[in-house]
Amino acid sequence: METKINPAVRNFNKPAYVVFILVGSWFLIQKDISQAVIFWGLALVFDPFDIQKPFNKRPVYQQVWLVLHLSITLALFVLDIMGK
């Protein structure tokens, strides 16, 4: 009898999330708010946590992290629109 081995599923969300945050932070250091808000917003697409769990079933620290990330992104967006 032959044993089937399922290949491990690789989730590249965490590395992609980190890369987008780092690039967005680099643009913040360069004072390019419009590019920073794009990269910080795109980082949210790559959820760094368990993508199988719905948001309301996640631990509180994960919910707080994602809401804080979204708040920072929205604040940057408002700053960009205001022209600061």
Side-chain angles (χ1 to χ4, degrees), residues 2-79:
E2 197 171 310
T3 304
K4 278 189 169 182
I5 299 174
N6 292 335
V9 177
R10 285 203 42 101
N11 184 352
F12 68 94
N13 282 5
K14 284 181 188 177
Y17 180 83
V18 170
V19 167
F20 275 88
I21 290 296
L22 290 175
V23 173
S25 298
W26 173 254
F27 281 116
L28 272 179
I29 292 168
Q30 298 298 314
K31 297 185 179 13
D32 189 349
I33 303 277
S34 62
Q35 290 294 319
V37 83
I38 289 169
F39 280 94
W40 275 66
L42 284 173
L44 282 170
V45 172
F46 300 101
D47 187 350
F49 304 112
D50 183 8
I51 57 176
Q52 301 299 324
K53 276 190 181 179
F55 183 77
N56 58 352
K57 303 265 189 211
R58 295 178 181 205
V60 174
Y61 77 91
Q62 291 180 3
Q63 292 178 3
V64 169
W65 179 271
L66 293 172
V67 169
L68 180 64
H69 181 136
L70 178 63
S71 301
I72 291 169
T73 304
L74 291 175
L76 289 172
F77 182 69
V78 169
L79 283 174

